[in-house]
Amino acid sequence: RLTERNADPSFAAGLALLREEAARLGTSVDALALAAVLAQPWVTTVLSGAATAEHLRSNLGATRVQWTSATAERLRALTMDSSDYWRERSSLRWN
């Protein structure tokens, strides 16, 4: 959802924000999204969803992101209530 592949028009502003912050931090959008997860104190395991070696290499960039409270604040607009997330997720068409 928080990757360059998300072409949903309703996410255009969110993707622009991710791209801007990723560029500021010298990383990729996917690495930034994973860094946000890794920054959570309760996280012990992260499943990246990498399907290729290229995806994995890009995802591993998350370990080099210098996550700060200022970064979190800049990306706060991307947060979603968990009930909204699961409602949206359950309505997706799966192949």
Side-chain angles (χ1 to χ4, degrees), residues 44-77:
T44 59
T45 303
V46 177
L47 302 176
S48 77
T52 67
E54 181 182 337
H55 292 163
L56 182 58
R57 278 189 292 276
S58 184
N59 289 177
L60 288 172
T63 62
R64 295 183 299 277
V65 172
Q66 295 299 309
W67 189 264
T68 66
S69 58
T71 302
E73 187 58 36
R74 282 191 286 278
L75 298 177
R76 187 166 312 282

Side-chain angles (χ1 to χ4, degrees), residues 72-85:
E73 187 58 36
R74 282 191 286 278
L75 298 177
R76 187 166 312 282
L78 297 174
T79 60
M80 176 184 256
D81 180 74
S82 62
S83 60
D84 292 337
Y85 170 82

